[in-house]
């Protein structure tokens, strides 16, 4: 896939943020020209909102804690036709989203996901990989999708995303997006992306406890019946 050229209103990038002041400058400098960065401040105490504004981002505040809460606040604040998601910790390069956007806009896929490929020691702890593998297997049984990763780097059109009616506001949000997209018959593509050691401590996968709490959240999402019943709130 080759790089994509867009106009300013074409793409919004949602960046859920909780105390990522150190990582934000690198992340925001990597946003493709003409795209809008939506940094969703999920209760930061380190001045992340000021750093984001200083680097040209639009700041959205979401006081309700939770990765899904931050992601969905960004999605509802977005106005562009195509919306992307990326972590705010410098583990993923948002410039890699350019070919994802082209895939969506050209009609090759409805949802494009990044399969994380760790670069260097410490990029992806063993317990986090184990949790991700377990979820990928459960997802395959639930939907038939042969995906390898449920990572945060992704792109899709805004209105269809909103129509999925996503309700999870914790760690299950990225998985619920994939499950409901699969149930709706979306074409889902997956591409390898380099995964770098994050800046700062992880809020979810930095410990076994955090990882398996996320797995429990996501397992409840997988228990949803098609149509969305039983969603985590």
């Amino acid at each position: 896939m080759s790089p994509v050229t867009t106009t300013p209103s074409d793409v919004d990038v949602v960046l859920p943020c909780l105390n990522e002041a150190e990582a934000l400058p690198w992340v925001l400098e990597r946003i493709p020209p003409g795209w809008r960065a939506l940094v969703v401040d999920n209760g930061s105490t380190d001045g992340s909102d000021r750093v984001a504004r200083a680097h040209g981002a639009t700041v959205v505040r979401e006081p309700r804690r939770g990765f899904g809460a931050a992601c969905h606040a960004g999605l509802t604040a977005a106005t562009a036709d195509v919306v992307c998601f990326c972590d705010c910790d410098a583990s993923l390069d948002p410039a890699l989203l350019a070919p994802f956007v082209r895939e969506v806009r050209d009609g090759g896929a409805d949802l494009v996901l990044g399969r994380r490929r760790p670069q260097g020691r410490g990029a992806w702890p063993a317990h986090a990989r184990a949790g991700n593998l377990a979820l990928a297997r459960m997802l395959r049984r639930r939907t038939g999708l042969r995906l390898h990763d449920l990572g945060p780097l992704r792109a899709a059109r805004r209105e269809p995303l909103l129509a999925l009616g996503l309700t999870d506001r914790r760690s299950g949000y990225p998985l619920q997006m994939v499950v409901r997209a699969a149930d709706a018959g979306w074409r889902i593509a997956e591409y390898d992306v380099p995964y770098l050691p994050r800046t700062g401590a992880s809020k979810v996968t930095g410990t076994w406890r955090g990882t398996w709490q996320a797995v429990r959240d996501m397992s409840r999402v997988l228990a949803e019946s098609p149509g969305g019943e039983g969603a985590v709130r």
Side-chain angles (χ1 to χ4, degrees), residues 22 34 41 54 80 106 111 119 135 208 223:
E22 185 179 354
D41 187 355
D106 288 352
L111 174 64
Q119 309 293 304
L135 287 167
W208 280 99

Side-chain angles (χ1 to χ4, degrees), residues 2 39 94 147 164 167 176 189 208 222:
S2 58
V39 173
L147 298 175
L164 291 177
T167 55
Q176 188 181 56
W208 280 99
L222 288 167

